[in-house]
Amino acid sequence: MSTKEITLEALNPKEFIDAQVKAIREAVGDDVAINALSGGVDSSVVTMLGHKALGDKLKTYLVENGLMREGELERIAEIFRGLGVPVEIVDEREKFFAALKGVIDPEEKREKGITQVFYKDIFAKLVKDSGAKVLMQGTIFTDIEETAAGIKRQHNVFEQIGIDPQEAFGYKVVEPLIELRKPAVREVARAVGLPPEISDRPPFPGPALCARVIDEVTPEKIDLVRKATTIVEEELAGVDAFQYMAILHSDQVTGIRDGKRDFGRQIEVRCWDSADAVTATPTDVPFATLRKIADRLTSEVPGVVSVTYNIGTKPPSCIEAV
Amino acid sequence: MSTKEITLEALNPKEFIDAQVKAIREAVGDDVAINALSGGVDSSVVTMLGHKALGDKLKTYLVENGLMREGELERIAEIFRGLGVPVEIVDEREKFFAALKGVIDPEEKREKGITQVFYKDIFAKLVKDSGAKVLMQGTIFTDIEETAAGIKRQHNVFEQIGIDPQEAFGYKVVEPLIELRKPAVREVARAVGLPPEISDRPPFPGPALCARVIDEVTPEKIDLVRKATTIVEEELAGVDAFQYMAILHSDQVTGIRDGKRDFGRQIEVRCWDSADAVTATPTDVPFATLRKIADRLTSEVPGVVSVTYNIGTKPPSCIEAV
């Protein structure tokens, strides 16, 4: 690892923003840059920095992958348009679900279902059509650490894992946040004018709800886990936690409904206390809140008969199950 | 359902015991009776009633199915021998694991893996060899209700689901506890001289640890879930609950160990508050206890990286996952 961290203590957000704006302008030159916005704090800050540096020379795309949360795409587009940042929505749902068909292994899901489709099929085309020579990405310091440690292959760290993106996918990558951990990114988010809805947003994985379905991902399963996610996020919004989520298991368990046997689905709820996702402990959520979540999940999400709450730590667990 | 319940309020344990002893003697006559003891409160009371009624004319077998908990078989044999009741241990592990190989569906596990092997292969032979004409069973009132409702097919309610056991397996069935629910059975257990270790024993399913493994059951998985069960039972022994258990999931989840990715196993812990298992709610176990259980499971059970706690109710969940 050659990249050095800028700690939260060492960070001067205003100076950081000025330096990055300058660096982005230098890297892009007379070219056009392109970036994908997911609405997470990382890609949001990159969008703002890029917009500050390049104005109309930055093309920002919101890719509808069919894997995002309820109303998420529309809300993100609304926020950025409100900030004067032009974003374009590209509907690519069919491509993602086609690529995810039959894929069970988590790494293969990320690699085949997300990385390959996103970069090779979708982004490469957007780059070509836009004439952009530079891709801006929201890679942060923790991504490189975990990738280097072999824990998870992130979809946005080509350079760090030794793949030349210029050669591999036909474009150049600029990563303005690569020296920061999440708390520092949030500080920059506030300083760059993003609303708390974005700057304080709990982390959400790159592969989106795809990371919340164990085994094969189908539109039907995404629909179930999306409903579950809405409920879990509503009920845990008031809890002081690092991140919370609903995971749809593949294992089916025995249930009973209207007096008859019902072999149904299980949702696992995770809620983490953590500073930076490197280590994490489960949040001591009031039991009444957990019970309410379980009751809502089993009555509002079709086919769900069982609900669990994660009680293990990271390590040896990870934040996400997939 | 033609069987009528004797409620806990209506029960006079001494009179019940006398009446059943008389009924058993009448049913068995000059024949020999046979029963299988699992160590659960139901089969233990049946053993005591049968022993009281028949003395040496009752043959009691403890079948080693490879699916019981740590040290369970030896401890049960010890208790009954201490009470002057002769019990014989029969090692049939290979037959059970051979029958369970490749079986995934919960009902098929019970039917093919347990019922068929136990009754047709093992018990029918014991009956034949012993010359017994009567099989005593620990069926209770709740079993008939749930079977009639189609929730779960119990392995010991042939008569109730319309199969003539005489015709099907070559013997006659006597079920002394069929009018009682669990709390009444426990009262009778105390009155018939069983120690609290048996009379107050939390329920344990007929298919034993087989019910605690989702998907295919193998000796290796039973070994894992046995270790997990020991830990969960140790840590929850002091909690006032109806029943608690460890369940080994088939789904694998992403973990991290010694800084490296570890795609590992998940254990689900369930602890129920319930009067009779018909309805149940998860116990509000202190969070520190749940955390300790999770830490022990991930450090002491090989391959386990994730632990959850059930927060749903029955219905729509069931007590057991399988």
Side-chain angles (χ1 to χ4, degrees), chain A:
Chain A
M1 256 187 289
S2 60
T3 308
K4 269 196 153 171
E5 181 190 357
I6 302 175
T7 63
L8 187 57
E9 293 69 35
L11 176 77
N12 179 320
K14 271 198 139 35
E15 284 176 14
F16 178 86
I17 292 167
D18 290 345
Q20 289 305 324
V21 164
K22 194 166 164 253
I24 293 165
R25 281 186 188 142
E26 280 169 13
V28 178
D30 293 331
D31 287 329
V32 167
I34 185 171
N35 82 311
L37 170 63
S38 71
V41 64
D42 303 339
S43 71
S44 293
V45 172
V46 167
T47 301
M48 292 303 287
L49 292 174
H51 179 71
K52 248 178 135 67
L54 309 169
D56 283 354
K57 282 183 11 182
L58 174 71
K59 306 285 175 202
T60 298
Y61 293 95
L62 255 172
V63 175
E64 166 62 282
N65 54 19
L67 305 169
M68 294 176 84
R69 288 169 290 188
E70 197 70 52
E72 190 168 15
L73 200 83
E74 297 73 19
R75 177 65 191 139
I76 294 158
E78 184 180 49
I79 290 171
F80 278 85
R81 285 170 185 161
L83 290 165
V85 182
V87 295
E88 190 174 324
I89 294 176
V90 193
D91 187 349
E92 298 287 9
R93 281 176 289 188
E94 280 180 22
K95 278 187 192 158
F96 281 98
F97 283 120
L100 287 164
K101 201 168 177 191
V103 181
I104 283 177
D105 180 77
E107 291 306 293
E108 212 184 320
K109 265 192 219 174
R110 287 173 188 265
E111 187 56 26
K112 279 178 70 173
I114 307 295
T115 310
Q116 295 295 331
V117 174
F118 186 79
Y119 289 99
K120 271 197 155 158
D121 295 357
I122 299 165
F123 225 75
K125 190 180 178 301
L126 289 173
V127 172
K128 213 180 147 198
D129 292 353
S130 67
K133 288 279 171 284
V134 181
L135 163 60
M136 296 186 62
Q137 285 213 136
T139 318
I140 68 170
F141 194 74
T142 324
D143 296 327
I144 335 175
E145 280 185 321
E146 296 209 338
T147 302
I151 301 156
K152 247 179 202 176
R153 208 179 321 156
Q154 291 286 340
H155 65 269
N156 52 0
V157 283
F158 299 125
E159 273 180 0
Q160 283 66 35
I161 58 176
I163 298 172
D164 179 351
Q166 184 90 37
E167 191 182 299
F169 298 112
Y171 41 81
K172 176 180 171 188
V173 175
V174 170
E175 296 169 316
L177 310 181
I178 201 137
E179 299 152 311
L180 309 182
R181 289 183 195 270
K182 196 67 81 176
V185 177
R186 294 192 190 281
E187 272 304 307
V188 176
R190 289 174 200 113
V192 83
L194 284 163
E197 185 179 344
I198 299 286
S199 63
D200 300 342
R201 197 180 189 84
F204 194 65
L209 294 175
C210 184
R212 304 287 166 77
V213 172
I214 292 180
D215 285 0
E216 191 190 7
V217 173
T218 63
E220 295 70 34
K221 287 186 191 169
I222 289 292
D223 198 47
L224 288 189
V225 85
R226 180 181 288 124
K227 285 190 171 74
T229 300
T230 301
I231 292 168
V232 167
E233 293 192 347
E234 277 174 17
E235 297 299 332
L236 292 179
V239 170
D240 182 27
F242 175 73
Q243 191 175 4
Y244 35 82
M245 64 191 70
I247 297 158
L248 177 65
H249 280 236
S250 176
D251 285 340
Q252 286 192 278
V253 294
T254 306
I256 166 175
R257 231 183 255 276
D258 303 324
K260 295 282 170 202
R261 181 174 182 275
D262 181 4
F263 196 46
R265 300 207 164 271
Q266 183 177 77
I267 295 280
E268 175 186 349
V269 178
R270 295 185 179 187
C271 181
W272 296 105
D273 291 339
S274 177
D276 57 7
V278 175
T279 63
T281 53
T283 308
D284 185 1
V285 173
F287 198 65
T289 305
L290 294 178
R291 286 286 305 106
K292 189 181 174 197
I293 291 172
D295 287 347
R296 286 196 60 191
L297 289 171
T298 52
S299 60
E300 296 176 32
V301 185
V304 173
V305 297
S306 174
V307 182
T308 63
Y309 183 64
N310 169 64
I311 55 172
T313 55
K314 175 182 180 183
S317 180
C318 281
I319 301 276
E320 303 279 348
V322 172

Side-chain angles (χ1 to χ4, degrees), chain B residues 79-262:
Chain B
I79 290 171
F80 278 86
R81 284 167 185 163
L83 290 165
V85 181
V87 295
E88 191 175 324
I89 294 177
V90 193
D91 186 349
E92 300 286 10
R93 281 175 288 190
E94 280 180 21
K95 279 186 192 158
F96 281 99
F97 283 120
L100 287 164
K101 201 167 176 193
V103 181
I104 284 178
D105 180 79
E107 291 305 294
E108 211 183 323
K109 267 192 216 172
R110 287 174 188 265
E111 185 58 26
K112 279 178 72 173
I114 307 295
T115 311
Q116 295 293 331
V117 175
F118 186 80
Y119 288 99
K120 272 197 154 158
D121 295 357
I122 300 165
F123 225 74
K125 190 178 178 302
L126 289 173
V127 171
K128 211 179 147 197
D129 293 353
S130 68
K133 289 281 171 285
V134 181
L135 164 59
M136 295 186 60
Q137 286 213 133
T139 319
I140 68 170
F141 195 73
T142 323
D143 295 328
I144 336 173
E145 279 184 321
E146 296 210 337
T147 303
I151 301 157
K152 246 180 202 176
R153 207 179 319 156
Q154 292 286 339
H155 65 271
N156 54 359
V157 284
F158 298 126
E159 274 182 355
Q160 282 65 37
I161 56 175
I163 298 172
D164 179 352
Q166 184 89 35
E167 193 182 297
F169 299 110
Y171 42 81
K172 177 180 171 187
V173 175
V174 170
E175 296 169 316
L177 309 180
I178 202 139
E179 299 150 312
L180 309 183
R181 289 182 195 270
K182 196 67 82 175
V185 177
R186 295 192 189 280
E187 271 304 308
V188 176
R190 290 173 200 114
V192 84
L194 284 164
E197 187 179 342
I198 299 286
S199 63
D200 299 343
R201 197 179 190 82
F204 194 65
L209 293 176
C210 184
R212 304 287 166 78
V213 173
I214 292 179
D215 284 0
E216 191 189 11
V217 173
T218 64
E220 295 71 33
K221 287 187 191 168
I222 289 292
D223 199 47
L224 288 190
V225 85
R226 180 182 287 123
K227 285 190 172 76
T229 300
T230 301
I231 292 168
V232 168
E233 292 192 348
E234 277 173 18
E235 297 299 332
L236 292 180
V239 170
D240 182 28
F242 176 73
Q243 191 175 4
Y244 33 81
M245 64 190 72
I247 297 158
L248 178 64
H249 280 235
S250 177
D251 285 339
Q252 288 192 277
V253 293
T254 306
I256 165 173
R257 234 184 253 276
D258 302 325
K260 294 280 171 202
R261 183 174 182 274
D262 182 4

